[in-house]
Amino acid sequence: MTEPDLDLDLAAVGIGPFNLALTALADEVPELRFAAFDRRERYDWHPGLMFDWASLQVGFLADLVSLIRPTSRWSFLNYLVEHDRMYPFYIAERFHVPRREYADYCAWAAARLPGCHFGVDVTEVTWDEAAERWVLTLREVATGTVSTRRARHLVLGVGTEPALPEPLRRLAGEASGQRVFHSGEFLHRIDAVAEAGARSVTVVGSGQSGAEVFLDLLRRQRDAGWALNWLTRSWGFAPLDYSKLVLEYTTPAYMRYFNALPPATRDRLIASQWQLYKGIDTETIDLIHQELYDHLLDGDRPPVTLLPATAVRGADLADGGTASADGGTASADGGTASADGGAIRLTTWHADTEREAVLATDAVIAATGYAARRPDCLAPVEKLIAWDEHGRYDVSEGHRVATVPEVTGGLFVQNAELHTHGAAAPDLGIGAYRSALILNAVAGRDVFRIPRSTAFQTFGSPGSPGSPAGPPATPPATPPAGG
């Protein structure tokens, strides 16, 4: 066991944008003993979707620190100063910066923040009741060296994992000869698909990543010569709602209101508010439409088919392998394939006509989103954590997970609370705010000023926690750093 003087006040597992924001703000609290660990060798944000032309969907102020501490040396503007790009950025007047620039900014901060420890895998977390500390088992990825570190509080920022519908999950990877894969791997896999001579490619899913993948495939079509299909089970290829009053649903004010609602109400609202976080930005939709118009002008390109209200119910290989939703073999039942001889046959269901059909294709890219995951390192303490009836974290307004009484240390989560905090949970614009709440709770004092007024709307009745006149989201007091 480590010596007490090496104990941390706060340990973070995973270094994505949100725990990186936590690390950047923690760097401004010199008395705080803090460390963040990630098994990767370096920071790398969605490399499989890092298109040169893609822009961030939120403004540059949604960086690691600015919405809480704009004077921080870890701000995006200071990154521009250090790279001598401030005047070109000023002239460009770009509120939404290129995604690759945001990724480089995060990598710049991650490489310089002393609290970031890459190449260190947290393999196990336990609770030492006598010492009132979390105990982290750490393994150096490069050497295999194992050590332990104790921390008074723990925050999980392990991110989400690719989600595939069951029929496609069974065909993903080697089962389909790498012809079925998640959109997160797109840029790593698409060249091999082209080199294999795919005659048709199908994209499933119509969020932002699905739209960007489809646009890239469309732009490659002249050289690759493939037919394209784009399916979504949604009613249409719908835009994100960027209207100003709707955007207030991603503010701390709405997040506090949402957290106070009954769980069943929260689940209903999340399902109905999908255009807050699952739609396509209008700029990308316009680019797709322009490309489709050029497709008409060319006149000799392979076909392009867009299919809204169309869900994938089953999938099988042309050589007889199956992967259907009910475990059986997918059948056409009167449907017709759109590309004869494709290596993969998708059984589809149209929501409006209630008709089944078969779509044959040579490759499938599943832009079907990401799902929260429970990290393996928590296995030893799962029984100490309060889970809801769906096996999800029970998370308070201050992003603290409920635990059994004997666990006196805080357990916090970042981007694992969509079900308790609403559409703001995965939004980059909430990263600095959430990290400030956590750090204030750990320090036992207001190290960072929490903004009181974040929305013009009153969510709930006047004076409720979600209203502008309501109280700020002050975290509950905990033993101060070093306690």
Side-chain angles (χ1 to χ4, degrees), residues 180-395:
V180 177
F181 53 90
H182 192 270
S183 58
E185 303 176 75
F186 177 75
L187 291 177
H188 303 318
R189 297 284 192 87
I190 193 57
D191 288 341
V193 171
E195 290 169 5
R199 293 175 297 167
S200 65
V201 181
T202 298
V203 180
V204 178
S206 62
Q208 182 65 21
S209 60
E212 291 176 356
V213 164
F214 178 73
L215 177 57
D216 188 74
L217 290 169
L218 200 55
R219 287 171 169 171
R220 295 172 185 250
Q221 192 184 44
R222 290 183 181 86
D223 295 327
W226 46 40
L228 292 176
N229 308 298
W230 189 14
L231 283 64
T232 177
R233 64 181 180 180
S234 301
W235 61 267
F237 299 92
L240 283 167
D241 195 334
Y242 277 153
S243 56
K244 301 305 180 187
L245 293 179
V246 169
L247 282 177
E248 289 193 342
Y249 284 74
T250 62
T251 61
Y254 184 76
M255 194 162 59
R256 294 195 298 271
Y257 162 75
F258 187 92
N259 183 255
L261 295 172
T265 303
R266 296 193 304 232
D267 287 343
R268 175 177 57 80
L269 286 173
I270 281 296
S272 69
Q273 295 173 349
W274 61 272
Q275 278 186 264
L276 286 172
Y277 59 99
K278 285 187 176 181
I280 310 166
D281 70 52
T282 54
E283 181 179 334
T284 304
I285 292 175
D286 290 347
L287 290 173
I288 289 172
H289 196 272
Q290 290 172 22
E291 196 69 31
L292 290 172
Y293 192 85
D294 288 344
H295 185 283
L296 286 179
L297 297 179
D298 291 344
D300 58 352
R301 283 208 235 174
V304 175
T305 306
L306 280 69
L307 297 169
T310 303
V312 175
R313 281 197 163 183
D316 66 275
L317 302 178
D319 60 9
T322 63
S324 62
D326 60 2
T329 302
S331 60
D333 287 342
T336 59
S338 67
D340 293 338
I344 301 158
R345 293 178 299 182
L346 300 178
T347 302
T348 66
W349 177 260
H350 193 272
D352 300 334
T353 64
E354 298 186 342
R355 292 189 60 185
E356 192 174 81
V358 166
L359 177 70
T361 186
D362 290 316
V364 178
I365 301 158
T368 45
Y370 296 81
R373 61 189 176 98
R374 188 182 300 184
D376 294 337
C377 64
L378 283 188
V381 294
E382 281 187 347
K383 293 182 179 179
L384 304 179
I385 297 172
W387 308 98
D388 71 9
E389 61 181 4
H390 301 290
R392 303 171 299 192
Y393 299 111
D394 180 4
V395 189

Side-chain angles (χ1 to χ4, degrees), residues 377-461:
C377 64
L378 283 188
V381 294
E382 281 187 347
K383 293 182 179 179
L384 304 179
I385 297 172
W387 308 98
D388 71 9
E389 61 181 4
H390 301 290
R392 303 171 299 192
Y393 299 111
D394 180 4
V395 189
S396 73
E397 178 188 319
H399 305 275
R400 182 168 179 165
V401 175
T403 56
V404 297
E406 53 264 35
V407 176
T408 56
L411 176 62
F412 301 89
V413 289
Q414 302 228 53
N415 194 18
E417 69 276 50
L418 180 70
H419 60 291
T420 59
H421 287 69
D427 194 287
L428 291 175
I430 213 68
Y433 172 85
R434 178 169 47 203
S435 294
L437 287 183
I438 293 171
L439 290 169
N440 282 358
V442 169
R445 61 185 178 88
D446 288 339
V447 179
F448 297 99
R449 180 182 181 273
I450 303 300
R452 291 179 58 91
S453 179
T454 60
F456 289 111
Q457 297 174 73
T458 297
F459 302 110
S461 59

Side-chain angles (χ1 to χ4, degrees), residues 60 75-87 89-90 97 101 105 108:
F60 71 88
S75 71
F76 178 75
L77 291 180
N78 191 53
Y79 157 83
L80 291 176
V81 169
E82 291 211 2
H83 288 77
D84 198 22
R85 289 209 302 271
M86 181 61 88
Y87 265 86
F89 181 78
Y90 161 65
V97 302
E101 185 174 30
Y105 153 67
W108 164 82

